[in-house]
Amino acid sequence: MFNKGADGEVRPKTPFVPDGTMALRSLSLDDVIFVNVEGVPELADSSYLTPAMMKYWDSVSAPMRTDGRSASDAYALAGQFAEFGKVACITAGVIRHKDDCDSPYFITTSYAGDDEREILGQFADMVNNFFSGRSGLHYLCGHGIWQYDIPFVAKRMLINHLELPALFDINGRRPLRAQLVDTAEYWTFSNHSAPRVPADLLASVFGIDADAADFDPSVASRLFHEEADMDLVKARSERKALLYAQLMLRFRGQGVIDSSRLIRKD
């Protein structure tokens, strides 16, 4: 592909750089925390809902029940709503180089368990510590973090009578918007009316390994309420946080981190 200049000389066309790509390249990856939030239904079964809450759930879940399912049958999806779900796990991951190795590692810390208030408090402390006393901008990154993760977490903090981290306590105003990198929003290329492309679909497009079951909210509900297997809940959350880091790297034009280079830090 070539362009002819005013002097008649033929030159290669300047490569098109999508809006945002150079901005993402300018970020220091040391200043980014990749976040995934695992929400599950607050109760093990819809039968534990009060009649009033069941009526609300029937109304809220109606758009998701085009297949004829009852509201009770769809309750495994309640973890997508702050009013009916709760936080089971939050994973925070960072990209780091170790031992002068060229290939980076992805190091994660997961806050998980039955005590949602403790999980939220630990995450709030981490956010406050990361953003306090640091020069320059620092970022939280996730897929849907602007539209889902942070609003979900903030609402659950209020429900649990917790003080919001200073970064979250501005209800849509800066600096929050400026300090979130949302890979789902980035992929719209400023077409904000476009539907959000799921992270597992983007993984397929970019040739990144991902398990579709990791993005099925009913699986999270089963692992938490029926199997009570927090190790599997955390592993699921860590894989998703790693995928968001891999998407960020691909958007920057870089190679991805192999899953074998994920380090879990307690």
Side-chain angles (χ1 to χ4, degrees):
M1 301 293 287
F2 297 92
N3 280 332
K4 183 177 289 187
D7 56 2
E9 184 177 349
V10 177
R11 303 182 180 87
K13 280 188 174 180
T14 301
F16 172 69
V17 179
D19 180 33
T21 300
M22 296 307 295
L24 290 183
R25 288 179 185 168
S26 70
L27 298 183
S28 168
L29 293 177
D30 287 340
D31 296 330
V32 181
I33 293 180
F34 298 89
V35 174
N36 180 69
V37 177
E38 289 293 309
V40 298
E42 186 168 18
L43 304 172
D45 188 89
S46 64
S47 62
Y48 295 109
L49 291 171
T50 65
M53 288 300 288
M54 188 64 206
K55 182 178 179 181
Y56 286 126
W57 173 245
D58 183 71
S59 174
V60 167
S61 64
M64 302 186 296
R65 295 187 282 112
T66 56
D67 54 2
R69 280 181 297 172
S70 68
S72 295
D73 289 339
Y75 187 66
L77 306 178
Q80 300 176 79
F81 301 88
E83 299 80 10
F84 299 94
K86 66 178 182 179
V87 174
C89 179
I90 303 177
T91 294
V94 294
I95 298 173
R96 293 289 185 266
H97 288 79
K98 293 168 62 70
D99 303 324
D100 298 323
C101 181
D102 291 336
S103 299
Y105 289 85
F106 191 67
I107 303 173
T108 64
T109 297
S110 292
Y111 312 103
D114 293 323
D115 190 335
E116 182 189 32
R117 198 172 194 276
E118 181 179 5
I119 294 169
L120 294 171
Q122 291 173 332
F123 180 65
D125 289 343
M126 185 277 292
V127 170
N128 282 329
N129 290 336
F130 183 67
F131 284 94
S132 65
R134 298 170 67 94
S135 60
L137 279 179
H138 305 276
Y139 306 88
L140 302 179
C141 177
H143 197 78
I145 193 170
W146 171 249
Q147 294 294 333
Y148 172 74
D149 294 89
I150 297 307
F152 187 93
V153 166
K155 291 171 186 177
R156 293 306 303 175
M157 286 180 175
L158 294 179
I159 290 170
N160 280 275
H161 306 286
L162 288 171
E163 183 177 353
L164 295 176
L167 180 67
F168 300 173
D169 196 15
I170 41 76
N171 196 21
R173 301 186 299 277
R174 291 180 181 271
L176 178 60
R177 182 78 174 192
Q179 293 185 259
L180 297 182
V181 178
D182 193 325
T183 52
E185 190 173 73
Y186 175 84
W187 189 247
T188 66
F189 281 77
S190 299
N191 181 8
H192 299 298
S193 63
R196 192 179 84 183
V197 176
D200 52 333
L201 171 54
L202 283 183
S204 295
V205 169
F206 282 109
I208 303 170
D209 289 336
D211 187 343
D214 285 344
F215 297 88
D216 183 343
S218 65
V219 173
S221 176
R222 173 173 55 79
L223 292 176
F224 184 84
H225 285 296
E226 297 178 26
E227 300 182 17
D229 194 329
M230 290 311 304
D231 287 337
L232 289 181
V233 171
K234 287 195 288 187
R236 165 192 169 100
S237 185
E238 289 162 355
R239 288 192 297 268
K240 290 162 76 172
L242 172 61
L243 175 57
Y244 307 153
Q246 292 169 326
L247 289 174
M248 160 78 93
L249 291 170
R250 289 303 304 269
F251 291 168
R252 287 164 54 102
Q254 296 174 265
V256 300
I257 302 171
D258 188 83
S259 59
S260 65
R261 301 183 75 78
L262 188 153
I263 298 175
R264 298 173 177 87
K265 182 179 178 182
D266 294 330

